Amino acid sequence: MIIKMLLEEGGQFFYCEARKAAPHSFEGIVHFLHKVGDGNAFVRDKSYAVGEKFETRTDALTAAERYGKQIATQRERLPAGVDEQSDYCNNLPSQSRPSGPNLEKAAR
């Protein structure tokens, strides 16, 4: 298994690997990562296999990198507009703390 460097495309983080599928045959795989917190910690997200086999590891890694960039641009999210954000927040149910007679009902 060869792991390439961490790549970023369209705000998505991923790395690629090449696995030996059969003698003289390799498959490329893309693993997406989810960034956690403010630091450099990542959690593994979805993985995608390139749909074809390759004769060399380099070819498999190159194809996986192209495939990862293609998926990342499709998964890229556009920032929500002001109207979308306000509609979302206005439609959320109120999560107030129960008090008085409602406190007894909430405890049951």
Side-chain angles (χ1 to χ4, degrees):
M1 170 177 77
I2 293 178
I3 297 178
K4 235 180 174 179
M5 70 186 109
L6 179 67
L7 301 166
E8 179 189 5
E9 182 75 25
Q12 303 285 323
F13 295 93
F14 63 96
Y15 68 92
C16 306
E17 76 175 275
R19 288 188 185 166
K20 196 167 193 173
H24 308 291
S25 178
F26 296 90
E27 63 180 350
I29 301 171
V30 181
H31 301 285
F32 279 87
L33 303 169
H34 179 76
K35 192 169 185 178
V36 179
D38 294 333
N40 291 328
F42 293 93
V43 176
R44 196 156 145 189
D45 198 5
K46 287 189 174 185
S47 297
Y48 299 90
V50 179
E52 55 188 282
K53 306 292 183 210
F54 301 91
E55 292 183 11
T56 65
R57 289 179 189 207
T58 306
D59 291 342
L61 283 172
T62 303
E65 182 179 345
R66 276 186 273 137
Y67 189 51
K69 287 182 178 182
Q70 179 185 356
I71 294 170
T73 55
Q74 291 173 354
R75 290 176 57 173
E76 183 179 6
R77 295 182 183 161
L78 297 174
V82 176
D83 295 336
E84 293 172 359
Q85 290 175 353
S86 63
D87 288 345
Y88 176 74
C89 293
N90 289 338
N91 293 331
L92 290 176
S94 176
Q95 295 291 328
S96 62
R97 294 181 67 183
S99 61
N102 293 333
L103 184 61
E104 292 174 7
K105 290 179 186 176
R108 292 183 197 170

